[in-house]
Coordinates of all heavy atoms in Angstrom, one line a residue:
Q1204 N -3.8 13.8 26.5 CA -5.1 14.1 27.0 C -5.9 15.1 26.1 O -7.1 15.2 26.2 CB -5.1 14.6 28.4 CG -4.6 13.6 29.4 CD -4.7 14.1 30.8 OE1 -5.8 14.0 31.5 NE2 -3.7 14.7 31.3
F1306 N -3.0 -3.8 15.7 CA -3.9 -3.9 14.5 C -3.6 -5.2 13.8 O -3.3 -5.2 12.6 CB -3.6 -2.7 13.6 CG -3.8 -1.4 14.2 CD1 -2.7 -0.7 14.8 CD2 -5.1 -0.8 14.3 CE1 -2.9 0.5 15.4 CE2 -5.3 0.4 14.9 CZ -4.2 1.1 15.5
I1418 N 1.6 20.4 23.9 CA 1.4 21.4 25.0 C 0.2 21.0 25.9 O -0.8 20.6 25.3 CB 1.2 22.8 24.4 CG1 2.5 23.3 23.7 CG2 0.7 23.8 25.5 CD1 2.2 24.5 22.8

Side-chain angles (χ1 to χ4, degrees):
Q1204 297 185 86
F1306 303 94
I1418 295 166

